[in-house]
Amino acid sequence: MAVQTVASTTPVDLGPAAALSCRECGERFELGPIFACASCFGPLEVAYDLPSGDPEGLRKRIEAGPDNIWRYAPLLPVPADVADKPNINPGFTKLVKADNLARELGVTGGLHIKDDSGNPTHSFKDRVVAIAVEAARAFGFTTLSCSSTGNLAGAVGAAAARAGFRSCVFIPHDLEQGKVVMAAVYGGELVGIEGNYDDVNRFCSELIGDPLGEGWGFVNVNLRPYYGEGSKTLAYEICEQLGWKLPDQIVIPIASGSQLTKIDKGLQELIKLGLVEDKPYKIFGAQAEGCSPVSTAFKAGHDVVRPQKPNTIAKSLAIGNPADGPYVLDIARRTGGFVEDVNDEQIVDAIKLLARTEGIFAETAGGVTVGVTRKLLEAGVLDPALTTVVLNTGDGLKTLDAVAPTTGPSATIRPSLDAFRDAGLAG
Amino acid sequence: MAVQTVASTTPVDLGPAAALSCRECGERFELGPIFACASCFGPLEVAYDLPSGDPEGLRKRIEAGPDNIWRYAPLLPVPADVADKPNINPGFTKLVKADNLARELGVTGGLHIKDDSGNPTHSFKDRVVAIAVEAARAFGFTTLSCSSTGNLAGAVGAAAARAGFRSCVFIPHDLEQGKVVMAAVYGGELVGIEGNYDDVNRFCSELIGDPLGEGWGFVNVNLRPYYGEGSKTLAYEICEQLGWKLPDQIVIPIASGSQLTKIDKGLQELIKLGLVEDKPYKIFGAQAEGCSPVSTAFKAGHDVVRPQKPNTIAKSLAIGNPADGPYVLDIARRTGGFVEDVNDEQIVDAIKLLARTEGIFAETAGGVTVGVTRKLLEAGVLDPALTTVVLNTGDGLKTLDAVAPTTGPSATIRPSLDAFRDAGLAG
């Protein structure tokens, strides 16, 4: 693997991050822009020296922090003064008590939507990119990059603009104009690649190993170990917003599976630090039927995830060969959870259900989690008497096409009271 | 004027709201779903019995409140227990310190963007609708309604869904599909009216006076006095987020002009209550050249606002006959501010400037305020050495068309390093 060298005279300061460690063989490496183990090629993740011994003090310090993910700086791979640096400051999004939805679904133990559409570019990607930005700063990178077909492009463009990085984002050349606008409006370079998303990814891998890519931080490749840690903040916020309590059940969408594994990591850290009382919790994964490699493996009892060719409206989850798939299987099984999928019609129904009951217009990924929640409640797999948190990781404004064909006016009438009376809508 | 009677045995509890008073002749009326003075037809607004005598206690009470507009419940026409009712809970959006933009514009005194794209449906309309919902509850209405061509329809649909109201929203029948989807997805009734926006409004006025509209709260008509008060929360938040200080200069978009007048009202209340130290502040109004009745009157020195036929990309500001126009003129003149306009090209440039410098993708209305800020700085009307707050009241995702024609990829290439090198983007 090509490791880029960046001139540095002082050791890298990423706060409590102590090293990178291989998720497979445990070998440790110095903090740097690397992402695979030199011994076994396993994925690297951040290992910490976390603060210990004074949970009450730590909790107070967090509560006195800013209303964004930097309140958790002591638990993240970022310098202590991160909140003073220019960054897009995502997080601390609403945990919505979804009482109307709970009534419809028969949940009595408390149903909550963690609504990440409230982030600056309206998806959870702002969380992971914000952490990658600080790593890029620490390693002396000057260009932020990624391959993307949607949410990530906007998150990188916006974060780079605020943080003072050049950005260069790669997309398939035939994306819809709306997505192109969202990716380009922040003024960074946007490069259309003649080919599909796989071609774009292959090209980016080449670029990382080439002198042309020197000084480039690809947020989800050579900065991936840091980037992934951003998802831990979802776990921290959920527990803090529940009054420093673990939920009983969490339903999480699966794309690469990284978000689910990092939420579990975050929950484990909170327990270890004494910030929440230890008790069992169950983690449920949600996929679209048209891209369900993990749920298929789960239900078949397999440990290995067989790749699929995605075909679903839930494009932000359409990763056919999810890198963290096996870890997701482990976590769902260890915690007593489940991995389920819903089809496109069920996704659209669930988007509308959430909008109608709670006034939250979710991206297709939110339709997947709400749809799976409904399906697992009907199957008796989710316990309606337990506290349940469902993630909405994106915004319906970005996937209007999913609901457009079945969402329109109740009636179209002449501007007269008679016409209105005849339409039968006076109610 | 038809006043709807709603059966009620107990007096209406809207917290510190004591009465409605006529903005023109001062006559007072009982709290109710009325909006024009029975004597002089002037607009009614909410008069309060505000808490007094203990500013430090009030400040602490606010700071201990929820992270939304209900922290200011003691200053709003809502019951004290409002935070416990199902509502969409908007507000407490980010006040972004815009240092990059300040550098480009030469502002040295501190430049801040109040970014209301962070609201639940991504515009400031969530604030005003949330207050209208509580008034509708108090008056026993069961249907929430409005005429709209955009932001308001989504805000009403979402708020009604959460709060348990039926909703029925009226739109011109030929709106773009994206806007129709946003208005319809929350599951309320959506009625297309064969005609333009004026026809829709005329129809709604008829409906309010007809038995068919009994039990209906039109948020911006018969609930308008309450609805308008929601904009005060922008003033409260800005001052609290500046550390309980008044800004020196505020740049506010003008549609009907209500938002600007209510922000001024909010600032005056904070001074009167002792929550901020009294000092001069200047209020600046921002319009699009293609709908600039107020800036035209201001610059001509007129007291009367002559209606215009709107023709601008800033559709959320395109009110040709702004009801609060004369009050805006008063406030801008009294505070030593100004009212200016920018053309469509300047609006688009300003949207891109804000996106490129701060990673904030604003609606066209945000392009208007940022564009006017730039123009007034260049003209020496805004003082670059003073603390300045600029409002972004909406989200660029809702007005993609404005920037789409001039926003696209830097290059489209084959997936090869040679092609990338030739494109000259390696940087």
Side-chain angles (χ1 to χ4, degrees):
Chain A
M1 181 191 52
V3 176
Q4 296 183 344
T5 41
V6 175
S8 169
T9 50
T10 52
V12 165
D13 172 16
L14 287 175
L20 294 177
S21 77
C22 175
R23 183 137 191 174
E24 289 298 326
C25 74
E27 190 170 336
R28 282 167 79 98
F29 301 86
E30 262 184 47
L31 294 171
I34 54 175
F35 54 101
C37 176
S39 301
C40 76
F41 301 105
L44 300 182
E45 63 175 357
V46 178
Y48 295 91
D49 286 332
L50 288 182
S52 67
D54 180 18
E56 204 43 55
L58 178 56
R59 198 183 292 159
K60 281 198 183 129
R61 188 172 151 198
I62 290 170
E63 288 172 351
D67 289 340
N68 55 51
I69 60 171
W70 305 134
R71 66 200 282 115
Y72 307 107
L75 312 181
L76 294 170
V78 294
D81 63 348
V82 62
D84 301 331
K85 296 173 191 284
N87 197 300
I88 207 159
N89 302 333
F92 222 59
T93 55
K94 290 180 200 290
L95 184 73
V96 176
K97 185 93 189 301
D99 290 340
N100 299 330
L101 180 61
R103 264 191 299 277
E104 291 231 7
L105 298 181
V107 175
T108 55
L111 180 62
H112 305 259
I113 304 291
K114 180 61 177 172
D115 186 11
D116 251 12
S117 67
N119 274 319
T121 73
H122 307 320
S123 89
F124 93 98
K125 291 289 185 188
D126 289 326
R127 297 177 184 272
V128 286
V129 169
I131 307 284
V133 164
E134 298 310 320
R137 236 192 277 271
F139 299 141
F141 289 137
T142 50
T143 297
L144 280 187
S145 187
C146 69
S147 56
S148 172
T149 61
N151 285 330
L152 187 55
V156 167
R162 176 78 60 80
F165 286 80
R166 182 176 180 270
S167 70
C168 187
V169 168
F170 298 93
I171 57 172
H173 74 294
D174 55 357
L175 275 195
E176 307 92 294
Q177 195 192 31
K179 289 191 177 164
V180 173
V181 171
M182 284 186 244
V185 75
Y186 301 102
E189 307 292 351
L190 179 72
V191 179
I193 296 286
E194 291 167 1
N196 60 24
Y197 185 59
D198 286 337
D199 296 317
V200 180
N201 270 325
R202 262 192 300 273
F203 169 75
C204 288
S205 300
E206 272 188 82
L207 188 52
I208 288 174
D210 190 272
L212 273 178
E214 224 174 272
W216 288 46
F218 285 80
V219 297
N220 55 348
V221 189
N222 57 353
L223 297 175
R224 188 171 186 84
Y226 311 94
Y227 168 91
E229 296 295 290
S231 289
K232 290 195 312 180
T233 58
L234 280 162
Y236 303 154
E237 291 180 17
I238 288 167
C239 290
E240 182 178 353
Q241 290 170 321
L242 288 175
W244 294 108
K245 283 202 182 92
L246 290 168
D248 299 316
Q249 306 176 127
I250 316 186
V251 184
I252 304 170
I254 301 171
S256 73
S258 164
Q259 185 182 64
L260 188 148
T261 62
K262 298 301 182 187
I263 288 175
D264 181 59
K265 186 180 181 187
L267 297 176
Q268 291 295 325
E269 286 173 354
L270 294 183
I271 293 169
K272 206 174 300 171
L273 291 165
L275 290 174
V276 298
E277 206 175 315
D278 194 4
K279 72 170 187 66
Y281 59 85
K282 295 183 180 186
I283 290 189
F284 297 82
Q287 295 211 291
E289 187 182 292
C291 181
S292 52
V294 185
S295 61
T296 302
F298 185 91
K299 291 189 270 190
H302 296 161
D303 293 331
V304 174
V305 172
R306 188 176 302 169
Q308 292 182 1
K309 193 167 186 284
N311 179 21
T312 169
I313 57 169
K315 292 194 202 305
S316 63
L317 302 182
I319 297 185
N321 189 12
D324 282 15
Y327 304 123
V328 169
L329 294 173
D330 282 353
I331 291 167
R333 286 174 181 142
R334 169 169 55 76
T335 65
F338 202 89
V339 185
E340 187 52 280
D341 53 79
V342 281
N343 65 31
D344 285 358
E345 197 186 328
Q346 291 167 317
I347 294 170
V348 171
D349 282 351
I351 291 173
K352 292 182 184 177
L353 173 66
L354 183 61
R356 177 170 58 76
T357 52
E358 300 298 339
I360 297 171
F361 184 21
E363 212 221 70
T364 43
V368 169
T369 50
V370 172
V372 161
T373 300
R374 173 152 67 176
K375 190 168 176 179
L376 291 178
L377 282 164
E378 284 165 3
V381 177
L382 272 168
D383 185 339
L386 296 179
T387 304
T388 304
V389 175
V390 179
L391 264 61
N392 172 39
T393 53
D395 199 296
L397 284 180
K398 295 193 185 183
T399 55
L400 286 173
D401 290 349
V403 292
T406 56
T407 306
S410 322
T412 299
I413 61 169
R414 281 173 298 110
S416 87
L417 293 174
D418 282 345
F420 184 60
R421 190 179 295 108
D422 293 348
L425 296 171
Chain B
M1 184 189 50
V3 176
Q4 296 182 345
T5 41
V6 174
S8 169
T9 50
T10 53
V12 164
D13 173 16
L14 288 174
L20 295 177
S21 76
C22 174
R23 184 140 188 170
E24 289 298 325
C25 73
E27 192 171 334
R28 282 166 81 99
F29 301 86
E30 263 184 46
L31 294 171
I34 55 173
F35 55 101
C37 176
S39 301
C40 77
F41 301 104
L44 300 182
E45 62 174 0
V46 177
Y48 295 91
D49 286 331
L50 288 181
S52 67
D54 181 18
E56 204 42 57
L58 178 55
R59 198 183 292 159
K60 281 197 182 129
R61 189 172 150 199
I62 291 170
E63 287 172 351
D67 289 340
N68 55 51
I69 60 170
W70 305 133
R71 64 201 283 116
Y72 307 109
L75 313 181
L76 295 170
V78 294
D81 64 346
V82 61
D84 301 331
K85 296 172 190 284
N87 195 301
I88 207 159
N89 302 333
F92 223 59
T93 56
K94 289 181 200 289
L95 183 72
V96 177
K97 185 93 189 302
D99 290 340
N100 298 330
L101 180 60
R103 264 191 299 278
E104 291 230 7
L105 297 181
V107 175
T108 55
L111 180 62
H112 305 259
I113 305 290
K114 180 60 177 171
D115 187 12
D116 251 14
S117 68
N119 273 319
T121 73
H122 306 322
S123 88
F124 94 98
K125 292 289 185 189
D126 290 325
R127 298 177 183 272
V128 286
V129 169
I131 307 284
V133 163
E134 296 310 319
R137 235 192 278 270
F139 301 140
F141 289 136
T142 51
T143 296
L144 279 186
S145 185
C146 70
S147 56
S148 173
T149 62
N151 285 329
L152 187 56
V156 167
R162 176 78 60 79
F165 285 80
R166 180 174 180 270
S167 70
C168 186
V169 168
F170 298 93
I171 57 171
H173 73 294
D174 55 356
L175 276 195
E176 307 93 293
Q177 194 191 31
K179 290 191 177 164
V180 173
V181 171
M182 284 186 244
V185 76
Y186 301 102
E189 307 293 352
L190 179 72
V191 179
I193 296 286
E194 291 166 1
N196 60 24
Y197 185 59
D198 287 336
D199 297 318
V200 179
N201 270 324
R202 261 190 302 270
F203 169 75
C204 287
S205 300
E206 272 190 83
L207 188 52
I208 288 175
D210 191 271
L212 274 177
E214 223 173 273
W216 287 45
F218 285 78
V219 297
N220 55 349
V221 188
N222 56 353
L223 297 174
R224 188 170 186 85
Y226 311 94
Y227 168 90
E229 297 295 289
S231 289
K232 292 196 311 180
T233 59
L234 280 161
Y236 303 153
E237 291 180 16
I238 288 168
C239 290
E240 183 178 351
Q241 290 170 322
L242 288 173
W244 294 107
K245 284 205 181 87
L246 291 167
D248 299 315
Q249 307 176 128
I250 316 185
V251 184
I252 305 170
I254 301 171
S256 73
S258 163
Q259 186 183 62
L260 188 147
T261 62
K262 296 303 183 188
I263 288 175
D264 181 58
K265 186 181 180 185
L267 297 176
Q268 291 295 324
E269 287 173 353
L270 293 183
I271 293 170
K272 206 174 297 170
L273 291 165
L275 289 174
V276 298
E277 206 176 314
D278 193 6
K279 72 169 186 69
Y281 60 84
K282 296 182 180 185
I283 290 191
F284 297 83
Q287 296 211 291
E289 188 182 292
C291 183
S292 52
V294 186
S295 62
T296 301
F298 185 91
K299 290 190 269 189
H302 295 163
D303 292 332
V304 174
V305 172
R306 188 175 304 170
Q308 292 183 0
K309 193 166 188 280
N311 179 22
T312 169
I313 56 170
K315 293 195 201 304
S316 63
L317 303 182
I319 297 185
N321 189 12
D324 281 14
Y327 304 123
V328 168
L329 294 174
D330 282 353
I331 291 167
R333 286 177 182 140
R334 169 170 54 75
T335 65
F338 202 89
V339 185
E340 187 51 281
D341 53 77
V342 282
N343 64 33
D344 285 359
E345 196 186 329
Q346 291 168 319
I347 294 170
V348 171
D349 282 352
I351 291 173
K352 292 183 184 176
L353 173 66
L354 183 62
R356 176 170 59 75
T357 53
E358 300 298 339
I360 297 171
F361 184 19
E363 212 220 68
T364 43
V368 169
T369 50
V370 172
V372 161
T373 300
R374 173 152 67 176
K375 191 169 175 180
L376 291 178
L377 282 164
E378 284 166 1
V381 177
L382 273 168
D383 185 339
L386 295 180
T387 304
T388 304
V389 174
V390 179
L391 264 62
N392 172 40
T393 52
D395 200 296
L397 283 180
K398 296 194 184 182
T399 55
L400 285 173
D401 290 349
V403 292
T406 57
T407 305
S410 323
T412 299
I413 62 170
R414 282 173 296 111
S416 87
L417 293 175
D418 282 344
F420 183 61
R421 192 179 292 109
D422 293 346
L425 296 171

